[in-house]
Amino acid sequence: MGNLRGAWEIVQESGRSSGSREIRAAVEEFSQKAETNLNRIYRQLKGGCFRFRAAKGILKTRKGKAPRPIVIAPIEERIVQRSILEVLTTTESVREYVYEPWSFGGYRKDSRPMGHRSFGGLRKRGVRDAISAACYAVYHEGARYYVRSDIEGFFTRIPRSYVLEKISELIPDRSFCALLQAATDCELENLAQLGQQVDLFPTHEMGIAQGCCLSPLLGNVLLAGFDAQMNGRGIKCLRYIDDFLLLGESEHRVMRAFESAQRILAAFNMSAYDPRNEREKAQKGETLNGFEFLGCVITRGRVSPNEKSQSRLKDRVRTSLDEARSKWSNPKERDYRYSLVESLFSISKVIQAWGSQYQFANNRKLWEKLDKEIDNLIRKHIQSYGSVRSRLVQQKDSLALRRTLGVFSLLDCKSESIFPLMQSVPPVPL
């Protein structure tokens, strides 16, 4: 139960800060009877009768690339998957296999000292530490050249049966491994809606669903040998799931390392984008001129989110506010999710989550610039509300006005008169 409660706390925190209203609503519904729900899941797991329900497949559009297939499981399934991840990351045989000093991402933050597995005393955990390791290699170890690339279609090409067999060797527990296999199956509830694009999602034998918390760790299990082979002989290879950065003192040595990476990946029927002919997806050059890694631009000691990441933030804020304003044309609906208050709260969560991802960035002038651009979007949003408010005041529609503002009305409370029920209630003797 302690494991499940810890998993629920993580799922709850993630869900409440999600930009999806649907996910936030599902988390809120589960939280109303959280302890009861967790006890039921616990009994089902203990009795071996927990069954994973179908998930929802979503295609996330990407400019210049095929849509990214994201799988969103129901809340209960996400809690169990997170609990399984906790078991995997706290089992010593698995930890020693995937917690390599050159690999970042795919497991929870670890505050334990890494000893000899550190980059200048840095503890590896996530994007922050991957960027720190890259900066350390460039500014303290003299890495002058780089190649940055990522593995094409990584999650959809992971040989799932191979990875699960490897884990079964590390954890020889049949019931747990059977649960792990069920947790990584990709069954979708909206197959008809996806149509022919359903082929972008993982099959039963090949691939692991993106959106499942177990996917990055299983990818790390697969590429543990890649990390070991790629580091050494004057080359440092920093990998964050399917993105990797090669650093060295000469261009020739770095490019030879890249060719070695291609040969290693070919054994799994995978390949990385080549910076010589796919410059939009991979880069090479001198570190002195700056380089990108994990959504960041590193130039002469300054770390900033790249243009693509900045655009995603502004697009999410703009889209969320536009959607809310489109609902204001019909304030008769009892939907507070798109009110002024809720829409501002929603983008506040988006901005906070985005900023938290880049706490390590040191370009404060960029922060000021982005804030001003978002201020303009908010100003437009509030002005639009002012127009709606004036119209509703003239119409003397106080109920619609309050709904649009986002302050709950007593008239929207559920009401059930006692008089229709009196016929079924026996009289109380005097």
Side-chain angles (χ1 to χ4, degrees), residues 287-359:
T287 57
L288 181 65
N289 297 327
F291 59 96
E292 290 194 20
F293 186 43
L294 302 178
C296 294
V297 178
I298 304 170
T299 307
R300 298 181 182 274
R302 175 174 288 180
V303 179
S304 310
N306 64 11
E307 289 287 344
K308 186 181 295 185
S309 182
Q310 295 174 45
S311 295
R312 280 199 299 265
L313 170 65
K314 291 182 287 188
D315 287 345
R316 285 191 65 183
V317 172
R318 185 182 297 106
T319 300
S320 181
L321 296 181
D322 288 347
E323 183 182 12
R325 286 197 299 275
S326 69
K327 299 291 184 179
W328 292 353
S329 59
N330 187 16
K332 300 293 183 182
E333 296 182 3
R334 301 182 183 184
D335 196 342
Y336 287 86
R337 294 176 301 169
Y338 300 98
S339 65
L340 176 66
V341 171
E342 178 62 23
S343 59
L344 293 177
F345 176 76
S346 178
I347 66 164
S348 177
K349 287 292 186 182
V350 169
I351 296 168
Q352 182 181 12
W354 188 89
S356 297
Q357 290 179 337
Y358 296 104
Q359 288 181 347

Side-chain angles (χ1 to χ4, degrees), residues 416-428:
E416 190 175 72
S417 174
I418 64 170
F419 287 98
L421 302 175
M422 290 179 63
Q423 297 177 358
S424 60
V425 178
V428 179

Side-chain angles (χ1 to χ4, degrees), residues 130-286:
I131 297 297
S132 297
C135 291
Y136 188 84
V138 172
Y139 300 114
H140 293 274
E141 297 180 338
R144 296 179 56 197
Y145 292 88
Y146 77 95
V147 167
R148 188 214 64 78
S149 184
D150 65 270
I151 304 170
E152 184 178 1
F154 177 63
F155 287 104
T156 58
R157 296 186 179 186
I158 292 177
R160 192 163 66 95
S161 57
Y162 172 87
V163 178
L164 293 177
E165 178 64 27
K166 179 66 67 175
I167 292 178
S168 69
E169 296 173 2
L170 301 173
I171 305 179
D173 184 312
R174 291 185 178 180
S175 60
F176 175 79
C177 290
L179 184 66
L180 173 60
Q181 180 169 349
T184 55
D185 282 339
C186 184
E187 182 181 353
L188 301 177
E189 63 177 21
N190 57 332
L191 290 173
Q193 180 183 350
L194 293 169
Q196 294 182 347
Q197 290 184 307
V198 72
D199 294 336
L200 295 173
F201 291 86
T203 63
H204 292 291
E205 294 296 328
M206 187 65 65
I208 299 173
Q210 294 187 66
C212 173
C213 64
L214 292 164
S215 301
L217 184 134
L218 268 60
N220 282 339
V221 171
L222 177 70
L223 294 182
F226 173 88
D227 297 332
Q229 293 178 68
M230 288 303 302
N231 280 277
R233 301 178 300 280
I235 291 294
K236 182 161 289 184
C237 177
L238 307 176
R239 182 179 61 83
Y240 191 99
I241 314 299
D242 58 334
D243 284 277
F244 63 90
L245 179 68
L246 296 171
L247 295 164
E249 62 180 13
S250 71
E251 182 179 14
H252 175 70
R253 181 170 290 183
V254 170
M255 289 307 300
R256 282 186 60 187
F258 178 74
E259 296 297 338
S260 296
Q262 293 285 46
R263 288 192 294 271
I264 297 170
L265 293 172
F268 299 114
N269 195 29
M270 295 178 178
S271 64
Y273 293 109
D274 194 322
R276 290 166 292 193
N277 48 40
E278 295 173 295
R279 296 181 180 179
E280 292 185 2
K281 302 172 183 178
Q283 293 85 37
K284 70 181 182 71
E286 294 186 61

Side-chain angles (χ1 to χ4, degrees), residues 8 12 25-38 40-41 75-76 79:
W8 159 237
Q12 183 182 36
V27 167
E28 187 60 32
E29 181 181 358
F30 188 94
S31 65
Q32 292 176 5
K33 295 183 179 179
E35 195 63 21
T36 300
N37 291 330
L38 292 174
R40 174 172 45 79
I41 296 172
I75 296 298
E76 294 185 7
I79 293 172

